[in-house]
Amino acid sequence: MASSYQQGGTSGYRDEELESLNTSSSPSNTLNNNSNNSSWKRWTMGAALLALLGYTAINSTSNNVPSADSVGLLGKGHHDLKAKAGKGVKKHAMTEAEKNAELFDETRRYILHNYDSRSPVSNFLPGVAGVFGKPVWSFYVNRGQGIASFGLTSKQFPMLEFSSANKAYQQTPYLGFRTFLQGSRGGHSDSKGGSSFLIEPFSPATAKVAGLDEEDSGKPTRTMYVGTNEMEIVEEDDVHGVSTSVTYFVLPEDTIASLVRRTTITNTGDDSLTFSALDGLARMEPTGGKLQWSLKNMGRTLEGWMGVYHADDTLNLPFYRMSTEPSDDASVKIEKAGHYAIAFVEGKKDGILPIVYDTEKVFGFSTTLQEPNGILASSIEDIVDMPQYGDAKTSSAFAALRKVKLAPGESITITSFYGEADAVEKLPGIAKKVSSIGYSEKKLERARELMLELTSSVETHTANKLFDGAIKQNYLDNSLRGGMPLILGELDDKARASNADEDERLKVYHIFSRIHGDLERDYNDFAIDPTFFSQGPGNYRDVAQNRRSDVIFSPRIGAFVVKQFLSFIQADGYEPLTVEAVSYWIEDKNQGARVASRVTKTPESAAILGAILGGGVFRPGQLFTLFEQIGVELSVSNQQAIDEIMAIATESPMAVYGSGYWADHWEYYLDLIEAYTSIYPDGEESLMYDTQLQYFFSTASVKPRSEKYVVDYTFDGKSKHVLQLDATSFDLEKVAEQAAFRNKTTGLIANEANWQRTGKAGEGRAFKSSAIAKLFLLGAIKYATRDAYGMGIEYEGGRPGWNDAMNGLAGMVGSGMPETFELSELLKYVLDVVTKYQRPLVIPAELGVMVDRINAALTVLLESGYEDAETLPKDVPRELFVYWDTVAAAREDYRNTVTNYFSGDTTTISAADAIEMLTNWFDQVQIGVGRAMTIGSKGIDDDGTSGVPPSYFSYNITSWVTNNMKNSKGLPLANAKAMAVGVFPLFLEGPTRYMKLIKDDEEQMENMYNKVLNSGLRDEQLKMYFLSADLTGQSYDMGRMMAFAAGWLENQSIWMHMSYKYYLQLLRGKLYNQFFTEMKGGGMLPFMDPDVYGRSLMECSSFIASSAFKDPSVVGRGFLARLSGSTAEFLSIWKLMFMGPNPYIINDAGDVEMQLIPTLPIWLFEDLEAGAKGTRDDDGNLVVSFKIFASIMVTYHNTLGTDLFDVPPTKYVVTMEDGSTVDVEGSSIPTKTAIQIRKLLGVKSIDAYF
């Protein structure tokens, strides 16, 4: 076996006795010296659980004890106590509950046994520090000591450089956190003298190798514990009698932002242990502006700016910064802020440790950082005494612990804080605070409590504890992607008894959101503000989907989310790419000054705050940052101050145009509306007709066909074809319009510039329409954007729909049926609302002109006598082509008239006229759906007759004329004269969205389910569904899907988000048996095989490598973990299962009532086959419980002892906080109590009996 610098070993050092199991609550708990137990083994709870259950025991075939000279790698010769514990014990077949117990510890942390010898996975700490806390971001992998990268704000500002997952798996053990222990033992029972050693816990050199159980029996045992707000690794080194545990968490609820690391070293031997240690970061990046590009592309040159400075004349408080921000600009920015590493011995006063920052002192000239040559050549004590140099190179941050002596069973904990300070003078104060006795322990406990508080909103108790935990994890990850809503401005009882629609003082603000941009999704640039009320921007479709259930959990937000997203609809029918946090401003400066006086201590602070509030837009986190920087002294609590300010503030949604217009962004509005009306059915009319909304104003315009139909050579260069390229343009006129709102003093563009106006540049008013009018506009434009065959909606904005890996489809003049199915639902909803309330629609006059033209074109088509042939040709019939051309021209002319402004004029459409035209449009959409089913799909083993709806079409422009214009590359532009349709294989999105059209027809639903089940979309091996069928033979023109190997990323993989959308539709369509069969059969978490899935069964992934992937060892593994749209679908499933589709209904008298109609299988009450015993009430009835509206516990009493599928309760008992009860006989809760529940006024719990 290869030699290692990890030397020593302990001659004859082992213990044959299996000790009693330690029952401490956490592996990281400091162990006290225990004189009552002479053995050196100290088992953590996680290891005890493994011994008890015999999990993955590594069999040892030899009892020979190695001598010191035979120990080449750390831990060689270790015998497996778990295997010994199992000898002679008759094993029984474990129940499902017992198997699940092996996966989690007693605090519900997921356990990765031998984590660094398993397939690689990446993950992250949530970056949540509380409302009044400042987060850092951090990513970790199951290699080395875990943390692969961390920093502030974004990957541009790292303390440990951000690297993609494939590099992080390689580099983390060497460039990340390291621990070196240099010491000796005081002698052993069979040895007169001690022995010295140098070891590195968690080194890859001593990692176990899968499949080499016998050879690896002497290596240390390593375990990773994945918590919701922490991560811990533990190494048990039986040869050297050392246990090392490292726990990471983000510092919660403080004015500083830090990653906290607690390293606990325990003497598990039967004699004393004397050692010194270096513990910390092998590479520490300094501050110096945005560094990501420079670190990747000019890292060596960048080191010229780097230096390590000090807060005092010791090595205890180093400050890592650049001298200036690196640039060649005439304006030089001197760097004052810096990163710090502060370490100390836990529980010891004045225990601040020196930091070794000179990397060469630790590693010598071992530039790979694999070997600590500096330690080998001297000692840790000598290194601390040596001079260190930190200029012109990347430094380290190792806490140095000089010789300490631990008796058997004793521990020592080194706690380190890594963060940023705006000046070196701040370090002593930070060090004094964080090193105070008990501070880090309290903060770790608070970090755990914080997650429990945040996820308690979906507290659920069933017979399946894994399922209950998965709900909480999905809720957390959903909140991290979409944000968690807070209500601010609560100043009195009236406000606390109102929702945000009823009291204008109440403001809804989302915190903790961010775009994903983790180690596997390295293409995205995340941002997490290191401020109070921390949040970051998100992708439009992500946020729109992940806020779907906000009103379900927080009914007091009212229609906020619906109004926010409908505001983003532009005049052209598209939406921006990025959603940012809501911004606020104070319209009345005198009112702002009065509030400033009420919440501050001094006239000076009041004047400063008044100026801030009157100076322009702000966000809560920015206010508190300014308070800190300028020195505003508050006379009230932070919460009281922000409530006072927000109560007088005016809010405005914020978004940013990105690149191109995605075709699916509007498809999520109905989900938001349905969620709202399921809680507020009595608020629908007011929301639709009485709410006036603005139109977002982006700086890009969609080009007409004449400017984006480009004539180019085909791939082989033998012929020419027409592509749709550069479909949008950055509009300089729009830029000029926004620039007219630039503040001459600050140089900032005012918020008004984001909304389309009437009149001239910088003048006029923001144009507004009712919500129903904006939905009508959206429906009209999408109806006018159907393809030449009237089937799919064209991807004419340059981007595809949800499946953005079909990026080439826009160039193929492609269209999508998923968008058509959603259009059908949109038109149906608008038609239903107009029919129900019989109120007219008031729309922009320009839209009225377009509507008249498309209606006239439809009349011409109908009067032409055209009828579809029984077999539709690929060439688009002339009548349909002319109709398409006419309608598209009307759409383009409309957009041209409203490019920069609305006229301000409106057109009123009576309810009767609106119903007639909406009915006609709806009918035409259904005809198009029928054509799509006839033309169908085409692929491997798919002749187009499967009956499964197709998803996409392309159009080959078979005849064209050039129009004397050229694009930016000099290629000729053309006008289409004829087209032929092209088809594709099946995609899961097609039937998933189609099921919305047939969800009320159980027979059609069952028929479609069986068709999909027997189609090329089914992965029989995994019992899941492919995102696409086999794409073999398809053109690379369709997009990046074709660039990927089959089974990987979007090419025929299991894309969990779309799979969950499909499962949700089964539940909506009342295919209950099929849904729960799919769920429990392994199609959904947490019911997958953990060994195959490869990560926590509570965490969704973006995709699972399907059976189409060639490497069988990868098949079934989850990739791109968490922050997935799957969480939004899972929460919708949870809502349907536990509450039913409409918890609030309108009764025959027109009053609102509450009705809970769950869909719960009996195995969630009790599953004896799986070893999951249920909970029973005093009468012996099985019960499950869950929290509704994030605060009221609901208990279902299953007196029937059967599945509760669409079964309403027969009785409710509503218990109030004062102890009184309201008994209700029947299936619904009457109006007064129902409203009390919705307003969260004094209601403690609800018991429902079935």
Side-chain angles (χ1 to χ4, degrees):
M1 186 171 287
S3 62
S4 167
Y5 69 83
Q6 305 194 78
Q7 299 177 11
T10 48
S11 179
Y13 183 63
R14 65 182 301 157
D15 189 297
E16 296 292 340
E17 182 182 359
L18 178 64
E19 293 302 314
S20 301
L21 302 179
N22 188 300
T23 57
S24 62
S25 62
S26 169
S28 63
N29 285 352
T30 301
L31 297 176
N32 296 318
N33 186 8
N34 186 355
S35 59
N36 295 325
N37 191 340
S38 61
S39 174
W40 56 271
K41 290 295 180 185
R42 296 294 183 272
W43 284 84
T44 64
M45 187 62 184
L49 185 62
L50 303 185
L52 182 64
L53 298 175
Y55 183 81
T56 60
I58 302 174
N59 294 318
S60 175
T61 59
S62 173
N63 288 324
N64 294 329
V65 180
S67 60
D69 58 2
S70 71
V71 181
L73 293 176
L74 172 63
K76 183 178 179 182
H78 164 65
H79 67 286
D80 185 17
L81 295 180
K82 296 181 288 295
K84 288 175 67 67
K87 286 184 178 181
V89 178
K90 184 177 181 180
K91 295 183 179 180
H92 70 282
M94 288 193 295
T95 66
E96 184 177 327
E98 288 174 325
K99 292 177 182 177
N100 291 340
E102 295 179 341
L103 301 175
F104 297 87
D105 72 0
E106 73 287 350
T107 61
R108 306 307 296 163
R109 298 185 304 177
Y110 185 71
I111 304 172
L112 279 172
H113 307 281
N114 297 319
Y115 69 87
D116 55 348
S117 61
R118 299 165 62 109
S119 59
V121 293
S122 68
N123 209 326
F124 57 88
L125 295 177
V128 171
V131 175
F132 294 106
K134 299 179 179 180
V136 300
W137 54 265
S138 55
F139 300 106
Y140 62 88
V141 297
N142 61 331
R143 295 293 183 267
Q145 294 198 30
I147 297 293
S149 180
F150 69 100
L152 293 175
T153 307
S154 72
K155 65 179 73 172
Q156 297 285 357
F157 305 96
M159 281 177 264
L160 175 58
E161 181 183 350
F162 179 93
S163 294
S164 299
N166 58 323
K167 294 181 180 178
Y169 298 142
Q170 299 171 349
Q171 298 172 354
T172 298
Y174 306 108
L175 305 185
F177 286 100
R178 311 276 291 272
T179 304
F180 299 101
L181 304 180
Q182 188 176 44
S184 63
R185 301 212 66 94
H188 312 294
S189 57
D190 58 353
S191 175
K192 294 181 179 179
S195 63
S196 62
F197 57 83
L198 170 61
I199 58 174
E200 182 185 358
F202 310 105
S203 168
T206 52
K208 293 185 178 181
V209 179
L212 297 180
D213 291 355
E214 181 177 348
E215 291 86 344
D216 281 356
S217 60
K219 293 182 178 179
T221 299
R222 294 171 183 166
T223 309
M224 176 178 282
Y225 299 86
V226 178
T228 53
N229 205 22
E230 66 184 287
M231 186 272 285
E232 181 179 10
I233 52 175
V234 177
E235 176 180 290
E236 299 286 350
D237 177 2
D238 294 348
V239 169
H240 296 89
V242 176
S243 170
T244 308
S245 72
V246 180
T247 301
Y248 302 95
F249 65 96
V250 173
L251 179 66
E253 298 178 339
D254 210 306
T255 56
I256 59 174
S258 287
L259 177 69
V260 187
R261 168 184 165 92
R262 287 167 53 88
T263 303
T264 299
I265 301 162
T266 304
N267 179 7
T268 58
D270 57 2
D271 55 4
S272 63
L273 172 67
T274 303
F275 70 95
S276 299
L278 288 182
D279 181 73
L281 200 55
R283 288 179 68 93
M284 177 79 154
E285 303 298 344
T287 59
K290 296 182 177 180
L291 297 183
Q292 178 71 357
W293 184 90
S294 299
L295 287 170
K296 302 299 184 190
N297 295 281
M298 47 174 277
R300 181 63 185 120
T301 301
L302 194 67
E303 288 183 319
W305 278 268
M306 296 181 183
V308 178
Y309 305 82
H310 299 274
D312 54 29
D313 57 0
T314 71
L315 298 176
N316 296 0
L317 301 175
F319 200 56
Y320 302 76
R321 65 172 176 84
M322 294 185 177
S323 52
T324 67
E325 289 193 4
S327 73
D328 288 330
D329 294 340
S331 176
V332 177
K333 182 177 179 180
I334 297 173
E335 188 63 55
K336 292 292 187 182
H339 292 151
Y340 61 77
I342 299 172
F344 52 91
V345 175
E346 195 68 59
K348 182 179 178 182
K349 288 186 177 181
D350 302 320
I352 301 293
L353 297 174
I355 301 295
V356 175
Y357 57 84
D358 189 337
T359 306
E360 289 184 5
K361 296 299 184 290
V362 179
F363 298 100
F365 296 123
S366 175
T367 53
T368 64
L369 306 190
Q370 288 186 340
E371 308 290 328
N373 289 343
I375 303 177
L376 290 170
S378 57
S379 68
I380 291 174
E381 286 79 8
D382 292 340
I383 289 173
V384 176
D385 293 334
M386 292 178 184
Q388 296 187 51
Y389 308 99
D391 293 333
K393 60 183 175 183
T394 304
S395 297
S396 299
F398 285 104
L401 178 68
R402 295 177 182 267
K403 281 187 178 180
V404 294
K405 186 175 183 179
L406 298 180
E410 279 190 328
S411 299
I412 188 169
T413 296
I414 302 170
T415 299
S416 307
F417 285 73
Y418 298 84
E420 179 180 311
D422 53 19
V424 69
E425 292 79 11
K426 297 286 185 71
L427 293 195
I430 295 173
K432 182 178 180 181
K433 175 168 64 174
V434 301
S435 63
S436 61
I437 294 177
Y439 176 86
S440 69
E441 291 176 316
K442 290 177 182 177
K443 287 299 183 180
L444 174 57
E445 186 60 33
R446 181 58 191 145
R448 292 168 173 163
E449 291 173 351
L450 185 61
M451 283 298 110
L452 291 175
E453 292 170 3
L454 294 179
T455 59
S456 67
S457 297
V458 289
E459 183 178 343
T460 305
H461 300 283
T462 70
N464 191 302
K465 303 310 175 188
L466 265 183
F467 179 76
D468 301 344
I471 294 167
K472 286 191 171 186
Q473 185 67 53
N474 275 266
Y475 179 78
L476 172 62
D477 289 346
N478 188 79
S479 299
L480 295 182
R481 195 163 98 140
M484 187 173 289
L486 292 180
I487 292 192
L488 303 174
E490 289 187 334
L491 295 180
D492 50 36
D493 290 340
K494 178 181 180 296
R496 284 183 280 273
S498 303
N499 67 37
D501 298 326
E502 297 167 335
D503 190 333
E504 65 180 10
R505 295 175 299 171
L506 298 179
K507 305 299 186 301
V508 179
Y509 191 74
H510 283 80
I511 55 175
F512 306 148
S513 60
R514 79 290 304 269
I515 189 175
H516 51 51
D518 51 81
L519 303 181
E520 293 187 84
R521 300 181 184 95
D522 43 18
Y523 49 86
N524 270 333
D525 291 322
F526 64 88
I528 307 173
D529 289 342
T531 64
F532 292 176
F533 295 90
S534 175
Q535 52 73 46
N539 280 337
Y540 195 91
R541 73 158 64 96
D542 298 351
V543 180
Q545 292 178 96
N546 287 74
R547 289 186 183 175
R548 178 194 308 161
S549 297
D550 279 6
V551 70
I552 307 298
F553 302 114
S554 304
R556 292 185 60 225
I557 72 171
F560 171 83
V561 176
V562 177
K563 291 186 284 189
Q564 177 187 23
F565 279 93
L566 294 190
S567 294
F568 290 136
I569 299 173
Q570 301 170 178
D572 60 7
Y574 284 108
E575 296 85 4
L577 174 62
T578 302
V579 177
E580 298 196 335
V582 174
S583 63
Y584 304 89
W585 73 94
I586 307 297
E587 292 182 349
D588 185 342
K589 293 185 179 181
N590 292 328
Q591 194 176 24
R594 288 193 294 272
V595 167
S597 296
R598 283 203 301 270
V599 302
T600 54
K601 285 184 178 179
T602 65
E604 292 79 11
S605 289
I608 294 171
L609 178 54
I612 292 173
L613 297 180
V617 297
F618 60 83
R619 293 185 176 116
Q622 294 171 334
L623 285 181
F624 285 101
T625 299
L626 288 172
F627 294 171
E628 239 181 276
Q629 293 173 344
I630 302 175
V632 173
E633 295 182 84
L634 297 177
S635 60
V636 297
S637 68
N638 287 341
Q639 186 65 57
Q640 178 69 22
I642 198 63
D643 282 336
E644 292 274 2
I645 293 168
M646 299 301 271
I648 64 168
T650 300
E651 65 188 13
S652 178
M654 292 289 287
V656 176
Y657 166 76
S659 55
Y661 288 120
W662 268 258
D664 68 315
H665 282 180
W666 60 276
E667 297 172 12
Y668 312 109
Y669 299 150
L670 282 189
D671 288 337
L672 299 177
I673 293 169
E674 288 173 2
Y676 169 76
T677 55
S678 75
I679 305 300
Y680 290 98
D682 48 333
E684 181 182 53
E685 182 178 5
S686 177
L687 171 62
M688 287 294 113
Y689 286 96
D690 303 329
T691 302
Q692 295 294 305
L693 303 172
Q694 302 175 110
Y695 290 79
F696 193 76
F697 187 71
S698 285
T699 52
S701 296
V702 180
K703 294 178 181 178
R705 294 163 296 162
S706 61
E707 296 179 20
K708 61 187 176 187
Y709 282 7
V710 180
V711 181
D712 198 2
Y713 282 98
T714 57
F715 177 75
D716 58 12
K718 295 180 180 179
S719 59
K720 291 184 177 180
H721 60 168
V722 175
L723 300 175
Q724 180 177 243
L725 303 176
D726 303 319
T728 60
S729 63
F730 189 66
D731 197 320
L732 295 179
E733 289 187 10
K734 288 187 172 183
V735 174
E737 160 69 13
Q738 288 196 335
F741 291 91
R742 190 179 301 278
N743 186 296
K744 294 181 180 179
T745 301
T746 65
L748 300 176
I749 294 177
N751 180 66
E752 294 92 327
N754 293 315
W755 306 102
Q756 185 137 345
R757 308 178 72 78
T758 63
K760 299 179 181 179
E763 301 177 8
R765 59 180 175 80
F767 186 79
K768 295 182 179 181
S769 295
S770 66
I772 193 65
K774 292 200 76 172
L775 291 175
F776 178 84
L777 174 144
L778 190 62
I781 292 177
K782 299 308 175 185
Y783 173 78
T785 314
R786 291 179 304 140
D787 62 29
Y789 240 127
M791 299 184 298
I793 292 179
E794 294 181 310
Y795 297 139
E796 49 105 36
R799 299 290 184 176
W802 176 89
N803 187 358
D804 51 19
M806 292 287 285
N807 51 291
L809 196 52
M812 301 173 76
V813 196
S815 64
M817 289 306 298
E819 287 68 37
T820 298
F821 300 141
E822 295 292 346
L823 173 61
S824 176
E825 290 296 283
L826 175 61
L827 294 176
K828 183 174 180 292
Y829 177 74
V830 177
L831 179 59
D832 288 345
V833 169
V834 175
T835 302
K836 185 188 304 183
Y837 301 112
Q838 290 293 312
R839 292 174 62 173
L841 299 176
V842 180
I843 62 173
E846 297 87 344
L847 179 65
V849 173
M850 186 197 86
V851 166
D852 288 343
R853 289 178 64 182
I854 63 176
N855 286 336
L858 178 58
T859 299
V860 171
L861 175 63
L862 296 176
E863 291 177 350
S864 72
Y866 170 79
E867 292 184 0
D868 286 338
E870 185 175 343
T871 301
L872 294 173
K874 289 189 178 296
D875 292 317
V876 178
R878 183 64 186 168
E879 295 90 342
L880 294 182
F881 181 86
V882 170
Y883 171 72
W884 166 82
D885 192 37
T886 303
V887 171
R891 181 188 73 236
E892 291 167 350
D893 290 345
Y894 159 75
R895 284 178 176 160
N896 187 52
T897 61
V898 297
T899 299
N900 294 326
Y901 314 104
F902 284 112
S903 67
D905 297 329
T906 59
T907 295
T908 299
I909 303 176
S910 69
D913 288 344
I915 290 170
E916 181 181 2
M917 74 174 68
L918 286 165
T919 301
N920 290 336
W921 296 353
F922 181 82
D923 291 344
Q924 287 299 308
V925 169
Q926 306 317 307
I927 292 172
V929 170
R931 289 182 188 136
M933 298 294 283
T934 299
I935 290 177
S937 56
K938 188 71 173 178
I940 303 298
D941 297 326
D942 177 14
D943 62 1
T945 62
S946 67
V948 178
S951 292
Y952 312 115
F953 298 107
S954 64
Y955 282 87
N956 179 26
I957 297 177
T958 55
S959 176
W960 69 83
V961 294
T962 56
N963 57 23
N964 298 319
M965 292 191 293
K966 295 184 177 180
N967 73 352
S968 60
K969 296 181 180 178
L971 296 173
L973 297 167
N975 298 331
K977 294 299 179 182
M979 289 180 167
V981 67
V983 296
F984 295 91
L986 291 173
F987 290 78
L988 186 59
E989 187 179 9
T992 296
R993 297 196 189 267
Y994 174 76
M995 281 182 169
K996 292 187 175 184
L997 279 61
I998 61 172
K999 66 179 182 297
D1000 296 326
D1001 189 322
E1002 188 172 342
E1003 184 178 347
Q1004 283 197 62
M1005 281 291 299
E1006 189 167 358
N1007 185 37
M1008 183 53 60
Y1009 170 77
N1010 289 327
K1011 288 178 178 179
V1012 174
L1013 186 66
N1014 294 303
S1015 73
L1017 293 173
R1018 179 68 171 182
D1019 188 331
E1020 286 296 341
Q1021 178 179 332
L1022 294 180
K1023 304 302 180 186
M1024 300 177 186
Y1025 293 91
F1026 297 120
L1027 178 62
S1028 70
D1030 192 336
L1031 299 181
T1032 301
Q1034 296 300 304
S1035 170
Y1036 280 90
D1037 288 343
M1038 67 194 287
R1040 68 175 186 267
M1041 288 190 77
M1042 289 302 297
F1044 305 137
W1048 189 258
L1049 287 170
E1050 288 95 338
N1051 186 348
Q1052 206 183 352
S1053 72
I1054 311 299
W1055 205 265
M1056 288 187 71
H1057 187 185
M1058 187 51 64
S1059 293
Y1060 276 34
K1061 278 184 179 290
Y1062 179 71
Y1063 299 137
L1064 174 60
Q1065 290 310 128
L1066 299 183
L1067 196 56
R1068 284 175 170 169
K1070 304 194 178 200
L1071 298 187
Y1072 302 134
N1073 291 325
Q1074 292 89 334
F1075 170 79
F1076 287 112
T1077 296
E1078 296 282 2
M1079 172 189 270
K1080 209 175 181 188
M1084 293 180 65
L1085 294 173
F1087 301 100
M1088 297 179 187
D1089 185 333
D1091 292 331
V1092 176
Y1093 187 56
R1095 60 182 313 112
S1096 172
L1097 293 180
M1098 295 182 184
E1099 297 173 352
C1100 288
S1101 298
S1102 277
F1103 80 93
I1104 294 172
S1106 74
S1107 63
F1109 196 69
K1110 292 181 180 179
D1111 185 348
S1113 68
V1114 177
V1115 171
R1117 279 168 50 190
F1119 296 90
L1120 283 65
R1122 306 174 63 183
L1123 300 191
S1124 160
S1126 310
T1127 61
E1129 314 307 329
F1130 191 91
L1131 292 179
S1132 291
I1133 288 169
W1134 177 84
K1135 180 233 180 183
L1136 286 177
M1137 288 176 61
F1138 286 85
M1139 300 184 205
N1142 296 298
Y1144 281 79
I1145 58 174
I1146 301 295
N1147 62 22
D1148 293 339
D1151 297 321
V1152 67
E1153 293 183 343
M1154 185 180 188
Q1155 184 179 59
L1156 299 173
I1157 304 182
T1159 301
L1160 295 172
I1162 187 62
W1163 53 261
L1164 279 179
F1165 288 86
E1166 184 169 75
D1167 192 353
L1168 295 179
E1169 289 185 5
K1173 193 172 182 180
T1175 301
R1176 295 180 181 269
D1177 62 17
D1178 292 341
D1179 296 323
N1181 301 310
L1182 289 167
V1183 298
V1184 299
S1185 59
F1186 68 99
K1187 198 175 279 187
I1188 194 171
F1189 301 153
S1191 62
I1192 301 171
M1193 189 60 70
V1194 178
T1195 300
Y1196 288 149
H1197 302 256
N1198 189 350
T1199 66
L1200 301 173
T1202 62
D1203 296 330
L1204 296 183
F1205 291 168
D1206 261 351
V1207 179
T1210 58
K1211 175 185 175 182
Y1212 296 91
V1213 177
V1214 181
T1215 302
M1216 313 305 287
E1217 290 180 350
D1218 63 6
S1220 63
T1221 61
V1222 177
D1223 294 345
V1224 179
E1225 296 292 337
S1227 62
S1228 60
I1229 298 174
T1231 304
K1232 180 181 177 181
T1233 305
I1235 291 176
Q1236 275 185 285
I1237 294 170
R1238 190 169 67 182
K1239 286 180 174 290
L1240 308 179
L1241 292 177
V1243 181
K1244 180 180 180 181
S1245 64
I1246 302 171
D1247 288 86
Y1249 295 83
F1250 297 84

